[in-house]
Amino acid sequence: MEVKKINGFTKHTLIIIFGVAMLYPVLWLISSSFKPNELIFTEPGLWPSTFTLDNYVNGWRGFQGVAFSKFFANSWLISILSVLGNVITCSFAAYAFARLNFKFQKIWFSLMLVTIMLPYHVTLVPQYVIFNELHWINTYFPLVLPKWLAHDSFFILMMVQFIRGIPRELDESATIDGCNQRQIYFRIIMPLLVPALISAAIFTFIWSWDDFFSQMIYLSDIKLFTVQLGIRSLFDPTGQSDWGALLAMSALSLVPITLIFLIFQRYFLDGIATTGLK
């Protein structure tokens, strides 16, 4: 009994230590955002000896005449459109692969799985060429449109596994009652698919909100900048950066994804836990 208590105490102590180590950078970020610029890198403690909100005020003003609220609005627009696109089109594709019988179904499904293994950088150049020919560079189309074309195979696979765990007897009963495939999806499958849909929505929102590389490639107009590009623009390579404002806006950028995860955490865990279970 004593050995179990010692092992339990040791395990929890190690978890706490690792937890603090992982949270320390975030705590330092939040703490430093309330410090004057001259104390950010000279004061080691987490609790500011001098507390100021000037960093948030200065950062929110943005730069080159564009307020940081504009960047937040742009990020919200891209993220929401991406979430809607992925949830709608990926669920349609998953339903087709899981429930419908069509020509070359297994081949198309295998090709879809292969795309999961392709690094994003492999398809970047061909996609850029296509979007450039369509004159969509410096617009939101390259960032949003692929989500409306069932672009993310990971979510399709996740939903396929979830739908396969739903008894086919429900579909057969609905067919006997006169339902067609569209009605079966909207009345039977989609209500049961909610945990997986919420999991896909959370992942999509976080990935879209935190995306920097794609936005840097396709956006050059400052009025179209997102939060990530706005934060990057506050950084001055010559060393004259307003570190207080940069850290303050970085701290604010964590708020939306943290709230989204906390609000939908239960559904997120249900979606992950039940995906693939029969």
Side-chain angles (χ1 to χ4, degrees), residues 37-56:
N37 275 322
E38 60 272 12
L39 296 180
I40 291 177
F41 298 109
T42 58
E43 188 176 75
L46 289 179
W47 189 259
S49 60
T50 303
F51 187 90
T52 180
L53 293 176
D54 291 344
N55 296 330
Y56 287 88

CSV table of all heavy atoms in Angstrom, one decimal, residues 37-56:
chain,number,residue,atom,x,y,z
A,37,ASN,N,8.7,48.1,-21.8
A,37,ASN,CA,9.7,47.5,-22.7
A,37,ASN,C,11.1,47.3,-22.1
A,37,ASN,O,11.7,46.3,-22.3
A,37,ASN,CB,9.8,48.3,-24.0
A,37,ASN,CG,8.8,48.0,-25.0
A,37,ASN,OD1,8.4,46.9,-25.2
A,37,ASN,ND2,8.3,49.0,-25.7
A,38,GLU,N,11.5,48.2,-21.3
A,38,GLU,CA,12.8,48.2,-20.7
A,38,GLU,C,13.0,47.1,-19.6
A,38,GLU,O,14.1,46.7,-19.2
A,38,GLU,CB,13.2,49.5,-20.1
A,38,GLU,CG,12.3,50.0,-18.9
A,38,GLU,CD,11.2,50.8,-19.4
A,38,GLU,OE1,10.9,50.8,-20.7
A,38,GLU,OE2,10.5,51.5,-18.6
A,39,LEU,N,11.8,46.5,-19.1
A,39,LEU,CA,11.9,45.5,-18.1
A,39,LEU,C,11.6,44.1,-18.6
A,39,LEU,O,11.8,43.1,-17.9
A,39,LEU,CB,10.9,45.8,-17.0
A,39,LEU,CG,11.1,47.1,-16.2
A,39,LEU,CD1,10.0,47.2,-15.1
A,39,LEU,CD2,12.5,47.1,-15.5
A,40,ILE,N,11.2,44.0,-19.9
A,40,ILE,CA,10.8,42.7,-20.4
A,40,ILE,C,11.9,41.6,-20.4
A,40,ILE,O,11.7,40.5,-19.9
A,40,ILE,CB,10.3,42.8,-21.9
A,40,ILE,CG1,8.9,43.6,-21.9
A,40,ILE,CG2,10.1,41.4,-22.5
A,40,ILE,CD1,8.4,43.8,-23.2
A,41,PHE,N,13.1,42.1,-20.8
A,41,PHE,CA,14.2,41.1,-20.9
A,41,PHE,C,15.2,41.3,-19.7
A,41,PHE,O,16.3,40.6,-19.7
A,41,PHE,CB,15.0,41.3,-22.2
A,41,PHE,CG,14.1,41.0,-23.4
A,41,PHE,CD1,13.7,42.0,-24.2
A,41,PHE,CD2,13.7,39.7,-23.6
A,41,PHE,CE1,12.9,41.7,-25.3
A,41,PHE,CE2,12.9,39.4,-24.7
A,41,PHE,CZ,12.5,40.4,-25.6
A,42,THR,N,14.9,42.2,-18.8
A,42,THR,CA,15.8,42.5,-17.7
A,42,THR,C,15.3,42.0,-16.3
A,42,THR,O,16.0,41.8,-15.4
A,42,THR,CB,16.2,44.0,-17.6
A,42,THR,OG1,15.0,44.7,-17.4
A,42,THR,CG2,16.9,44.4,-18.8
A,43,GLU,N,14.0,41.8,-16.3
A,43,GLU,CA,13.3,41.4,-15.0
A,43,GLU,C,12.9,39.9,-15.2
A,43,GLU,O,12.1,39.6,-16.0
A,43,GLU,CB,12.1,42.2,-14.8
A,43,GLU,CG,11.4,42.0,-13.4
A,43,GLU,CD,10.3,42.9,-13.2
A,43,GLU,OE1,9.2,42.7,-13.8
A,43,GLU,OE2,10.4,43.9,-12.4
A,44,PRO,N,13.6,39.0,-14.4
A,44,PRO,CA,13.4,37.6,-14.6
A,44,PRO,C,12.0,37.1,-14.0
A,44,PRO,O,11.5,36.1,-14.5
A,44,PRO,CB,14.5,37.0,-13.9
A,44,PRO,CG,14.9,38.0,-12.8
A,44,PRO,CD,14.6,39.3,-13.4
A,45,GLY,N,11.5,37.7,-13.0
A,45,GLY,CA,10.3,37.2,-12.4
A,45,GLY,C,9.1,37.3,-13.3
A,45,GLY,O,9.0,38.1,-14.2
A,46,LEU,N,8.1,36.4,-13.0
A,46,LEU,CA,6.8,36.4,-13.7
A,46,LEU,C,5.9,37.6,-13.3
A,46,LEU,O,5.1,38.1,-14.1
A,46,LEU,CB,6.1,35.1,-13.5
A,46,LEU,CG,6.7,33.9,-14.2
A,46,LEU,CD1,5.9,32.6,-13.9
A,46,LEU,CD2,6.8,34.1,-15.7
A,47,TRP,N,6.0,38.0,-12.0
A,47,TRP,CA,5.1,39.1,-11.6
A,47,TRP,C,5.7,40.4,-11.9
A,47,TRP,O,6.8,40.7,-11.4
A,47,TRP,CB,4.8,38.9,-10.1
A,47,TRP,CG,3.8,39.9,-9.6
A,47,TRP,CD1,3.9,41.1,-9.0
A,47,TRP,CD2,2.4,39.7,-9.8
A,47,TRP,NE1,2.8,41.7,-8.7
A,47,TRP,CE2,1.7,40.9,-9.2
A,47,TRP,CE3,1.6,38.7,-10.4
A,47,TRP,CZ2,0.4,41.0,-9.2
A,47,TRP,CZ3,0.2,38.9,-10.4
A,47,TRP,CH2,-0.4,40.1,-9.8
A,48,PRO,N,5.1,41.3,-12.7
A,48,PRO,CA,5.7,42.6,-13.1
A,48,PRO,C,5.9,43.5,-11.9
A,48,PRO,O,4.9,43.6,-11.1
A,48,PRO,CB,4.7,43.1,-14.1
A,48,PRO,CG,3.8,42.0,-14.5
A,48,PRO,CD,3.8,41.1,-13.3
A,49,SER,N,7.0,44.1,-11.7
A,49,SER,CA,7.2,45.1,-10.7
A,49,SER,C,6.6,46.4,-11.0
A,49,SER,O,6.2,47.2,-10.2
A,49,SER,CB,8.7,45.3,-10.4
A,49,SER,OG,9.4,45.7,-11.6
A,50,THR,N,6.5,46.6,-12.4
A,50,THR,CA,5.7,47.8,-12.9
A,50,THR,C,4.7,47.3,-13.8
A,50,THR,O,5.0,46.7,-14.9
A,50,THR,CB,6.7,48.7,-13.6
A,50,THR,OG1,7.7,49.1,-12.7
A,50,THR,CG2,5.9,50.0,-14.1
A,51,PHE,N,3.4,47.6,-13.5
A,51,PHE,CA,2.3,47.1,-14.3
A,51,PHE,C,1.8,48.2,-15.2
A,51,PHE,O,1.5,49.3,-14.8
A,51,PHE,CB,1.2,46.7,-13.3
A,51,PHE,CG,0.0,46.0,-14.0
A,51,PHE,CD1,0.0,44.6,-14.1
A,51,PHE,CD2,-1.1,46.7,-14.4
A,51,PHE,CE1,-1.1,44.0,-14.7
A,51,PHE,CE2,-2.1,46.1,-15.1
A,51,PHE,CZ,-2.1,44.7,-15.2
A,52,THR,N,1.6,47.9,-16.5
A,52,THR,CA,1.2,48.8,-17.5
A,52,THR,C,0.3,48.2,-18.5
A,52,THR,O,0.5,47.0,-18.9
A,52,THR,CB,2.4,49.5,-18.2
A,52,THR,OG1,1.9,50.5,-19.1
A,52,THR,CG2,3.2,48.5,-18.9
A,53,LEU,N,-0.7,48.9,-19.0
A,53,LEU,CA,-1.5,48.5,-20.1
A,53,LEU,C,-1.2,49.2,-21.4
A,53,LEU,O,-1.9,49.0,-22.4
A,53,LEU,CB,-3.0,48.8,-19.8
A,53,LEU,CG,-3.6,48.0,-18.6
A,53,LEU,CD1,-5.0,48.5,-18.3
A,53,LEU,CD2,-3.6,46.5,-18.9
A,54,ASP,N,-0.1,50.0,-21.4
A,54,ASP,CA,0.3,50.7,-22.6
A,54,ASP,C,0.6,49.8,-23.8
A,54,ASP,O,0.4,50.1,-25.0
A,54,ASP,CB,1.5,51.6,-22.3
A,54,ASP,CG,1.2,52.7,-21.4
A,54,ASP,OD1,0.0,53.0,-21.2
A,54,ASP,OD2,2.1,53.3,-20.8
A,55,ASN,N,1.1,48.6,-23.5
A,55,ASN,CA,1.5,47.6,-24.6
A,55,ASN,C,0.2,47.2,-25.3
A,55,ASN,O,0.3,47.1,-26.6
A,55,ASN,CB,2.1,46.4,-24.0
A,55,ASN,CG,3.5,46.7,-23.3
A,55,ASN,OD1,4.2,47.6,-23.8
A,55,ASN,ND2,3.8,46.0,-22.3
A,56,TYR,N,-0.9,47.0,-24.6
A,56,TYR,CA,-2.1,46.6,-25.3
A,56,TYR,C,-2.7,47.8,-26.1
A,56,TYR,O,-3.2,47.6,-27.2
A,56,TYR,CB,-3.1,46.1,-24.3
A,56,TYR,CG,-2.8,44.7,-23.7
A,56,TYR,CD1,-1.9,44.6,-22.6
A,56,TYR,CD2,-3.3,43.6,-24.3
A,56,TYR,CE1,-1.6,43.3,-22.1
A,56,TYR,CE2,-2.9,42.3,-23.8
A,56,TYR,CZ,-2.1,42.2,-22.8
A,56,TYR,OH,-1.8,41.0,-22.3
